[in-house]
Amino acid sequence: MTESTVTSESSAVRVERLSFRYPGGPDVLTDISFTIAPGEIIGLVGPSGAGKSTLLQHLNGLLPSQLPNFVGHVSNVPHVVIDNLPVARQTIAEVRRRVGFLFQDPDDQLFCPTVFEDVAFGPLNLGLSDDEARQRVRDSLASVGLAGYEPRSTLRLSLGERKRVCLAGVFACQPSVLALDEPFSSLDPRARRTLIGILKRFPGSQIIATHDLDVVVDLCHRVLLLDAGQLRAAGPTADILSNAALMERHGLEVPWRLRGEHTNG
Ligand code: ADP
């Protein structure tokens, strides 16, 4: 099933008929269409290998070989639009400013010796002054509960702290959309609760790829279910995740908190 394409002017994210394959490989995404409204939180669920990471990477052009040019792009229909801005070679810098991307593994994201340098990298890259960048670093570290961590080595932090430093680096660029790849994996319960609280306070739109369906129940307004590169279902969180037959069909389980609600398929 494909969610019908809504060409709302006010969409924070619009994906239209997106298909993709890695060079020499089979189709990984097939004819995907959906929108995300401003402020909406979407859970992107599905079995491993479904294409969730690949889909997220299209939202800020992390797959550069796939970026269309405006001129000459097939039918000139952009496949991904962020705040009415088509993702294309000419717009990629602005798109990356607007879409904050969190990698599943913080070690893929952190590359500076200190927390300060890592979180300041984005704001400095955007052309902010040293003072403005320092302020952004202070504010975004405070927002993830790591005030005062500036001088710490990124190598000497727990996994949960490294994930929060990554998120601070994302927040420091003041994005309007968060694309988060398995943000809760490997976190202990307290770090997981902390991160849920941080994400609940974020005012923009979010799309969160995760296997942690209890968090999806807690956090997400709507769910997209991806399997074998196709969007199989989309709708309000409880409707999708409490559908036992649908979940089983796609290698998932009704999350604990929704068991006992309706289980028809
Ligand atoms: P998910 O995030 O749902 O686990 P992925 O997007 O990581 O799914 O992977 C979807 C499919 O694309 C898988 O079959 C995976 O092996 C393949 N894939 C992922 N990354 C690459 C890559 N860089 N090159 C080739 N194939 C890839």
Side-chain angles (χ1 to χ4, degrees):
M1 184 179 90
T2 305
E3 196 185 30
S4 64
T5 305
V6 183
T7 51
S8 161
E9 286 300 304
S10 64
S11 300
V13 175
R14 192 168 85 234
V15 173
E16 273 183 19
R17 311 210 62 184
L18 175 68
S19 295
F20 173 76
R21 60 173 60 175
Y22 290 99
D27 281 355
V28 170
L29 299 175
T30 307
D31 205 15
I32 305 278
S33 299
F34 64 90
T35 61
I36 306 177
E40 195 175 29
I41 308 180
I42 300 288
L44 179 60
V45 307
S48 291
K52 302 182 294 297
S53 294
T54 305
L55 177 56
L56 288 187
Q57 289 178 48
H58 276 84
L59 299 187
N60 76 343
L62 272 172
L63 294 163
S65 65
Q66 296 306 308
L67 287 177
N69 295 306
F70 281 135
V71 182
H73 178 53
V74 183
S75 76
N76 269 339
V77 177
H79 291 307
V80 182
V81 181
I82 307 293
D83 293 337
N84 293 322
L85 191 67
V87 178
R89 287 186 206 287
Q90 297 92 328
T91 60
I92 195 61
E94 179 58 20
V95 164
R96 289 196 176 142
R97 197 188 70 69
R98 295 186 191 199
V99 180
F101 192 96
L102 188 76
F103 287 87
Q104 178 174 355
D105 182 350
D107 297 331
D108 288 339
Q109 193 141 0
L110 299 171
F111 61 97
C112 296
T114 68
V115 169
F116 175 81
E117 288 165 288
D118 235 301
V119 180
F121 182 83
L124 290 172
N125 213 33
L126 292 175
L128 269 63
S129 70
D130 286 354
D131 280 351
E132 288 169 321
R134 196 167 294 115
Q135 186 63 46
R136 290 258 185 120
V137 172
R138 198 177 303 132
D139 292 347
S140 51
L141 282 175
S143 76
V144 299
L146 296 179
Y149 270 54
E150 283 92 334
R152 299 276 294 265
S153 161
T154 51
L155 298 174
R156 302 217 175 115
L157 299 175
S158 71
L159 178 63
E161 288 170 333
R162 290 208 300 283
K163 284 208 170 190
R164 283 190 278 155
V165 170
C166 293
L167 206 53
V170 167
F171 286 162
C173 297
Q174 300 188 342
S176 56
V177 176
L178 296 182
L180 310 176
D181 196 355
E182 297 288 356
F184 309 104
S185 64
S186 319
L187 294 187
D188 67 28
R190 182 165 33 184
R192 178 171 167 271
R193 293 294 335 157
T194 302
L195 185 54
I196 291 170
I198 292 165
L199 299 181
K200 277 187 173 165
R201 290 194 295 277
F202 179 74
S205 308
Q206 304 180 47
I207 178 164
I208 304 172
T210 182
H211 290 293
D212 190 335
L213 300 187
D214 284 306
V215 176
V216 175
V217 174
D218 199 10
L219 199 56
C220 298
H221 305 116
R222 230 160 25 98
V223 164
L224 304 178
L225 196 166
L226 200 64
D227 194 2
Q230 294 184 33
L231 192 54
R232 308 294 182 151
T237 300
D239 291 0
I240 302 291
L241 298 190
S242 63
N243 185 332
L246 178 72
M247 299 297 281
E248 194 177 328
R249 204 154 53 237
H250 299 292
L252 302 171
E253 286 182 341
V254 174
W256 188 249
R257 291 176 49 188
L258 293 180
R259 289 185 195 175
E261 294 192 15
H262 74 91
T263 51
N264 59 317

